[in-house]
Amino acid sequence: MQDVVVLGVGQSEFGKFPERGIAELGGAAARTAIADAGIDPGDLQAAFSSRVYEAMITSQTILKDLGVTGIEMVNVENACAGGSTAVRSLYKDIAAGYVDVGIAIGVESMTTSPVAGKLIPPDKDDLDGQMGLSMPVLFALQAKRLMETHGAKEEDFAQVSVKAHEFGALNPKAQYRKRFTVEEVLGSRMVADPITLLQCCPNTDGAAAVVLASADFARKYTEKPVRITGSSLISGDYDFKRADLTTMPLGVKAATSAYEQAGIGPEDVDVVELHDAFATEELVHYEDLGLCPRGESVGLLRSGATSLGGRVPVNPSGGLLSLGHPLAASGVRIICELTDQLRGRAGDRQVPGAKVGLAQMLGGAATGLDAGAASVHILTV
C-alpha cells in the first residue's frame, strides 16, 4: 500500500446557476485543483467523477475541455455519498499502485435536474417513500426521538443552523452568506415538525475536485503533504436490525474503520466536515463519530465545542445548510475544505493549528435499509 496525498483542491462557487452546465461547473473546479497541485493536466492517469442526475460520461464531458483524454475514466453514483465514493475509488487505485496521480470530481446542477424546485421523489419501488417517509420526515422522526431521549429542544436544532450560517458568512464560496438568529430559524416555514425551512439544506449547483497522488509522486510538488490516512465506505444494513433511531449504524462502522486505519481516535480530531442536510442530524453524527459519549450530543453543542474556537469545530465551511448541497459534489467539497484547513489557508474560518481532519458523508435511502451509504475520510499533516 502506498501513502496517498491530497495534492490539489478546487471548488466552483455554490449557488443557482441554470445557465452553467456540468462541463463549465466541473471544469472550473478541476482547473483550480490541477493548478493547486502544480501539475500539468496531461500528468493525470485516472479520473473518477460523480453526478446523481443525468449521470453519463461525466469525467469525459468535463476533462475533454482541459485537454485530458485517453486515460481511464470512471463515473460513479452513490446518492449524496457519490463524491466521497469517487475520492475513495481514486484513493484505492493510488494506494494499490495502479496509478500515481489522478483526479476525483463531484458535480451537480440541481436547477436543471428533473427535481429542480421539488422534493426528491421516491422511486416507484420505494414503499417507505411512497407512504410518505421522505428525507425531511425521516430526520424529523429522529429529532422527535432526540427530544425524548436526549433532552434536545427545538432551539438546539435551530442553533445548529445558526452555527452553520455563522460559518457560511465567512466562506466566499457559500450559496448563503447571511447570519440568522435562533428565533428566525424557528420562525421560518415548517417543513416536517420540528424541522423548519432554515434547518434544511438548499438545492444548489456546484462542483469540487481533488487531485490525489502517491507520496512519492507528491514529493516533487510539496514539502508539506496532506495525507489520507483513513478511508472507508459502508453500505446500509437491514433496518429491522436497528434498535435506536438516534444512531445510524453504518455511520458508526464507517468511522470505526477509518479511525483504525489512521491509528487515531476521535479525541485526536481537530476539525470535522459532516453531512448536515438537515440540522437535526448533526447531533446524531456527533455521537456516531465518537466526538462525545452516547447521550451527550446536546451538551456538546450547547458547550460551544463544535463552534469556531471550540474543541472540535464542525462544518467550518458552513456545511450543507449554508454552503448548499449539490448532491454528488459535497463529498468532494468536504475534502477540499479540510485540506485548506490543514494547510492553514481557510481564512476567517481557519481552525488554529489543525492537524487532523475528518470528512463524513451520508447518502441515499431505500425501503428496508437504514441508509444507502456512509463514507469517512481522515486527513492528517
Side-chain angles (χ1 to χ4, degrees), residues 276-298:
D276 64 332
F278 301 93
T280 56
E281 68 173 298
E282 185 168 313
L283 297 177
V284 172
H285 298 323
Y286 288 172
E287 296 183 11
D288 287 351
L289 294 174
L291 304 182
C292 64
R294 286 284 163 196
E296 296 185 15
S297 57
V298 175

Side-chain angles (χ1 to χ4, degrees), residues 7 112 130 135 138 180 182 198 219 263 266 280 292 296 366:
L7 194 57
T112 60
Q130 293 293 339
M135 282 296 184
L138 174 64
F180 293 97
V182 167
L198 288 176
R219 200 168 288 120
T280 56
C292 64
E296 296 185 15

Side-chain angles (χ1 to χ4, degrees), residues 133-144:
L133 192 62
S134 63
M135 282 296 184
V137 172
L138 174 64
F139 287 107
L141 291 172
Q142 193 174 68
K144 289 289 190 181

Side-chain angles (χ1 to χ4, degrees), residues 338-372:
L338 290 181
T339 299
D340 283 340
Q341 288 284 348
L342 299 185
R343 288 177 173 175
R345 59 183 196 184
D348 293 337
R349 63 188 189 279
Q350 178 67 47
V351 176
K355 302 293 184 185
V356 179
L358 183 148
Q360 179 256 30
M361 193 55 56
L362 193 71
T367 296
L369 297 179
D370 56 356

